DNA sequence: TGATGTAGTCAACGTGGTTGACCAATAGCG
DNA sequence: CGCTATTGGTCAACCACGTTGACTACATCA
């Protein structure tokens, strides 16, 4: 992926470092969830929980957010519904829509995810300092040109 | 995944920024590969090409590197063999082993990947400066504790 | 009111993984 | 040197999670 003549950690391609960093955070989250008894949470649940945090979200919107087909998003919603984290609702102004809303259990999970994830990022701050973490965040945001817009769809799980 | 009250790009969870950054680099690589006529290269080929850069690599080692079963690694190798990028060899000192080596075409692909990827990272340097990119790399390496060891297995594609 | 587009679902399919079993080869031990 | 345990790799079957194309119900527009 990257031209590395004498591969050392400090000369690893950024892509791989991003992949390892992402995996480290997500795996850390899921290990901590399981430690607390949340045994049926899959990585794909994360983006859905976040998307439904403030208001019910349509299947089409979730599909776009996650870069998958409406059918696949619907299947994922079915799985989370069966697990008790989401509930399908009806839209009084558009009968085609079946927005999904967090259940009480879904909100509880989201709260735990927030807490655990805050700890994980705090661990980063502990190693290099909060200023450095904020700088990291700002640099990546700048390069990706995300200062003013929504994040693009991304699926990594 | 992260506690964000008023979600803005600059306060996005690091995990999601890493995911988007990774996706941006890998998708950029594959778009450029296709532009140059390399139409059958899949994201999973990347780690294999890199792993076989300097010497043939065993199926077991590839499986460990990529965090998958030997069977899955063998299937992937079969696919890359059929596409002409790898060739299975024999190990004269251990007949059980069937190390895989890059073919001429595999080396050509790896050279193109190196070139494209260097350009992609250069784009990052163009936006924020090479010093900033090196700093990014060093910071993530430090947090992940990778200064002195091999990268852990990671699969993201 | 008819045409067109959208939201969501259905059934079937394909891909890329895992699992458990197996075989051949190697390493180590008594 | 023979035996046992381990390792490298393969086999067949299975599973999860995506896609595809078709379809229905609903909304919008002229």
């Amino acid at each position: 992926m990257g031209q590395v003549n004498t591969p050392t950690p400090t000369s690893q391609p950024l892509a791989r470092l991003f992949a390892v960093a992402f995996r480290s955070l997500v795996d850390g989250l899921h290990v901590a969830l399981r430690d607390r008894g949340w045994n049926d949470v899959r990585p794909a649940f994360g983006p859905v929980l976040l998307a439904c945090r403030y208001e019910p979200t349509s299947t089409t919107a979730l599909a776009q957010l996650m870069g998958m087909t409406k059918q696949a998003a619907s299947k994922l919603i079915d799985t989370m519904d069966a697990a008790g984290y989401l509930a399908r609702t009806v839209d009084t102004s558009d009968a085609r829509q079946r927005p999904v809303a967090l259940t009480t259990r879904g909100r509880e999970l989201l709260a735990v995810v927030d807490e655990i994830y805050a700890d994980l990022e705090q661990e980063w701050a502990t190693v290099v300092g909060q200023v450095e973490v904020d700088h990291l965040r700002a640099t990546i945001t700048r390069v990706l040109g995300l200062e003013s817009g929504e994040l693009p769809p991304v699926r990594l799980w």
Side-chain angles (χ1 to χ4, degrees), chain A:
Chain A
M1 179 179 289
Q3 188 176 20
V4 175
N5 292 324
T6 51
T8 64
T10 52
S11 64
Q12 286 289 343
L14 275 179
R16 190 160 179 83
L17 289 177
F18 288 145
V20 176
F22 171 79
R23 179 54 62 203
S24 167
L25 286 165
V26 171
D27 285 353
L29 171 64
H30 286 275
V31 164
L33 283 171
R34 282 193 292 273
D35 283 347
R36 301 186 192 205
W38 296 87
N39 293 313
D40 62 348
V41 182
R42 291 159 36 194
F45 290 5
V48 182
L49 293 171
L50 295 176
C52 298
R53 184 198 292 277
Y54 303 110
E55 62 188 350
T57 305
S58 69
T59 304
T60 300
L62 282 172
Q64 286 167 342
L65 178 76
M66 296 191 290
M68 60 171 60
T69 62
K70 290 182 291 178
Q71 171 63 356
S74 185
K75 277 180 164 180
L76 181 56
I77 291 166
D78 287 341
T79 300
M80 293 179 73
D81 188 325
Y85 298 121
L86 293 180
R88 292 180 184 277
T89 70
V90 295
D91 189 306
T92 51
S93 67
D94 186 342
R96 294 171 300 174
Q97 299 228 10
R98 301 295 310 280
V100 295
L102 290 175
T103 59
T104 299
R105 182 168 163 77
R107 290 189 187 291
E108 288 167 1
L109 173 59
L110 188 49
V112 172
V113 166
D114 284 341
E115 184 185 327
I116 294 172
Y117 187 78
D119 287 343
L120 289 167
E121 283 216 6
Q122 185 54 44
E123 286 175 22
W124 279 63
T126 298
V127 174
V128 296
Q130 186 62 51
V131 169
E132 194 59 59
V133 171
D134 291 340
H135 186 68
L136 196 63
R137 199 185 322 264
T139 302
I140 297 175
T141 298
R142 186 174 159 206
V143 175
L144 296 172
L146 301 174
E147 294 90 336
S148 62
E150 292 291 313
L151 288 173
V154 59
R155 185 190 342 152
L156 285 169
W157 46 74

